[in-house]
Amino acid sequence: MIVNFSITNFGSIKDKQTLSFEAESSDHLEDSYVVNVSGIRLLKMALIYGANASGKSTVLKALEFIRDLVLNPVEKKTDTLDYEPFLFDPDTPHMNSVISLEFIHDEVKYFYEVEFNKMAIMNESLHFFHPNRALVFVRNTDLKQQFSQISFGSKIKLAKNIEKTLSANTLWNNTVLGGFLKTNVDIKELSDVIDWFNNILKPPVFTRTQLESYVSSKVHDGHLLKNEIVKILKQADFHISDILINEEEMDIPDGFIDLMVNRFRVPIAEARQIEEIGKVKTIKIELEHTVNNHKYSLPLEMESDGTKRFFGFAGLLALLINESHVIPIDELETSLHPDLYQHFLLSFLSNSNNSQLIATTHNREILDDKDIIRNDAIWFTNKDENCSTEIYSLSDFDSSVVRNTTNILNAYKAGKLKAAPKIRDLYIN
């Protein structure tokens, strides 16, 4: 689970901003929101509010960027890193960017930080706490030589030939973790961290994400039980009684491999294996509806956008409940009725144990209900006078702005919490 996530000079974020999952001392909704992991009280959810173009999605894109940086390292020294620093300043485009993550995996806390620009990873470090802080490795890059120097901490015992091999496989624009993926050696601490990035931290779900295809494949391969998905859909009043799965084989269409790698982030090695086979298996999903004791089935693509969206969310909910995952979702409310939106959040909070949800949203209705929100789980993004994003929590406001009796929705509408669009005159001359 994530403890803290910090971003500097990335997209709309100029100065260091931190999103924290460390729970405040309040015991409000403790059982639903708070998990005690290795002695740290962590929140299971963070909802991010803000005006359009205020930087909400930037937070999720930064998570996606560092995940890709670790798991999908570039293959050539001439490749550049695909991101933009803060551009509304004469200096920041020429300055390094920094992303850091503090997280807990298998009861061990890690702190990972990477400093980079478009050409190279300039500095990188990994520490673990077991129980005291100890260095796993630190890395520095010489731009002139295009070479990285890696040093391991005293608690990491490695043969010199392993260190040399890892250094050789870590290009100046690769992370050490990415270089480790290319190296046939076993270093437990690096393996555990890569396992967290690969299996715990999931790619963000954006509005364009074909979530129903992902869930369909998980149901097909048995990773998700379709009975669980059906149960979640029934509880959301969709009158769906079964999920029907058919498998077909087809030739690989033009551009499919590029689409897998560039859009769906499929590892290059896996995509090449599919390309060599020359065919791909497709899964056709139909949803069975029982109406007046008669069964009718519809192809998933014929269902409404809301049904398809919640079918995908039902799969996410099953993953979040049954396993430990961190799933970022952009514009959570898209195609969902407000009651379904609330049902999804409350189902997650009531049933999950070691998962986290990070979601951007414009749905303000739940801010009016103190019975379902904690102040430290509500976050805002706001553009300052320099057009850079600042990130802050509802719990950051003192009692002069937010009291126990304050109606949060009305305070947000009134602009007391900022992070809302400043609408001007309706008339256009």
Side-chain angles (χ1 to χ4, degrees), residues 38-178:
S38 299
I40 304 175
R41 295 171 64 251
L42 295 178
L43 294 167
K44 293 194 284 187
M45 185 173 74
L47 291 181
I48 307 174
Y49 288 83
N52 293 114
S54 65
K56 299 188 302 299
S57 298
T58 300
V59 177
L60 307 193
K61 289 175 180 176
L63 268 175
E64 180 182 37
F65 177 81
I66 193 169
R67 184 180 187 273
D68 281 346
L69 204 60
V70 169
L71 299 180
N72 299 306
V74 297
E75 296 192 329
K76 297 182 292 186
K77 295 182 75 169
T78 54
D79 290 337
T80 57
L81 302 184
D82 186 17
Y83 85 103
E84 294 297 336
F86 184 74
L87 298 176
F88 296 156
D89 183 280
D91 298 323
T92 49
H94 312 291
M95 298 169 63
N96 293 335
S97 303
V98 182
I99 294 178
S100 64
L101 263 169
E102 188 177 4
F103 59 93
I104 297 174
H105 184 45
D106 288 341
E107 301 298 323
V108 178
K109 186 169 75 168
Y110 296 90
F111 179 79
Y112 178 62
E113 184 170 78
V114 57
E115 180 180 349
F116 54 93
N117 53 45
K118 282 183 168 292
M119 290 188 301
I121 307 297
M122 297 303 301
N123 297 289
E124 182 184 5
S125 64
L126 175 67
H127 292 80
F128 71 106
F129 300 74
H130 198 54
N132 299 319
R133 179 172 174 137
L135 176 68
V136 178
F137 71 82
V138 62
R139 171 265 191 89
N140 307 104
T141 299
D142 185 327
L143 281 181
K144 289 184 179 180
Q145 300 295 325
Q146 297 187 9
F147 178 77
S148 296
Q149 179 67 42
I150 306 170
S151 301
F152 284 86
S154 59
K155 292 192 175 182
I156 310 300
K157 306 298 182 183
L158 294 179
K160 287 296 181 183
N161 64 317
I162 291 179
E163 290 192 31
K164 288 181 179 180
T165 302
L166 181 56
S167 293
N169 287 340
T170 303
L171 303 180
W172 72 324
N173 51 1
N174 285 183
T175 62
V176 173
L177 296 172

Side-chain angles (χ1 to χ4, degrees), residues 155-341:
K155 292 192 175 182
I156 310 300
K157 306 298 182 183
L158 294 179
K160 287 296 181 183
N161 64 317
I162 291 179
E163 290 192 31
K164 288 181 179 180
T165 302
L166 181 56
S167 293
N169 287 340
T170 303
L171 303 180
W172 72 324
N173 51 1
N174 285 183
T175 62
V176 173
L177 296 172
F180 176 71
L181 285 173
K182 302 176 182 179
T183 308
N184 187 25
V185 297
D186 182 25
I187 305 173
K188 182 182 184 306
E189 290 76 14
L190 300 193
S191 294
D192 288 348
V193 169
I194 286 172
D195 179 66
W196 186 86
F197 275 103
N198 189 41
N199 295 312
I200 307 299
L201 178 62
K202 294 300 182 182
V205 176
F206 295 105
T207 53
R208 66 179 184 273
T209 302
Q210 298 295 316
L211 187 56
E212 57 269 23
S213 299
Y214 172 77
V215 172
S216 298
S217 66
K218 292 293 184 184
V219 172
H220 176 257
D221 65 20
H223 193 78
L224 283 174
L225 298 178
K226 71 174 185 177
N227 290 341
E228 292 185 357
I229 309 296
V230 170
K231 184 176 181 180
I232 293 170
L233 291 171
K234 282 182 177 178
Q235 289 177 323
D237 195 30
F238 278 100
H239 300 288
I240 292 169
S241 53
D242 201 1
I243 300 171
L244 309 177
I245 305 171
N246 297 302
E247 186 179 284
E248 299 176 0
E249 191 173 71
M250 59 180 288
D251 293 331
I252 295 177
D254 293 339
F256 181 74
I257 298 299
D258 289 339
L259 185 69
M260 290 176 66
V261 173
N262 298 324
R263 181 169 177 180
F264 297 109
R265 308 296 185 185
V266 174
I268 294 174
E270 184 178 330
R272 284 177 176 168
Q273 286 180 349
I274 295 172
E275 188 175 27
E276 288 175 4
I277 295 171
K279 291 185 178 295
V280 63
K281 291 181 180 180
T282 61
I283 302 165
K284 298 292 184 182
I285 294 287
E286 294 185 355
L287 299 183
E288 181 186 84
H289 300 255
T290 301
V291 182
N292 296 326
N293 295 321
H294 292 280
K295 297 182 185 298
Y296 306 90
S297 61
L298 279 179
L300 185 58
E301 59 268 21
M302 290 182 62
E303 298 282 359
S304 70
D305 288 344
T307 300
K308 289 187 285 189
R309 179 78 165 172
F310 202 82
F311 171 79
F313 275 25
L316 291 186
L317 190 55
L319 286 173
L320 289 163
I321 292 171
N322 294 329
E323 302 171 6
S324 177
H325 292 297
V326 178
I327 299 183
I329 303 178
D330 197 30
E331 297 188 16
L332 177 62
E333 72 282 357
T334 300
S335 298
L336 292 183
H337 186 278
D339 289 348
L340 275 181
Y341 171 94

Side-chain angles (χ1 to χ4, degrees), residues 350-390:
S350 301
N351 296 281
S352 66
N353 293 313
N354 294 295
S355 289
Q356 288 174 313
L357 184 67
I358 310 171
T360 72
T361 183
H362 293 289
N363 186 307
R364 304 180 302 185
E365 290 187 9
I366 64 169
L367 295 177
D368 192 27
D369 192 343
K370 291 183 182 295
D371 290 333
I372 62 175
I373 66 164
R374 273 181 63 108
N375 287 5
D376 50 1
I378 303 298
W379 290 79
F380 300 100
T381 55
N382 187 65
K383 288 284 188 73
D384 64 17
E385 63 275 8
N386 297 315
C387 270
S388 64
T389 296
E390 52 181 359

Side-chain angles (χ1 to χ4, degrees), residues 420-428:
K422 298 177 182 178
I423 307 299
R424 294 181 172 83
D425 202 319
L426 296 174
Y427 295 96
I428 300 172

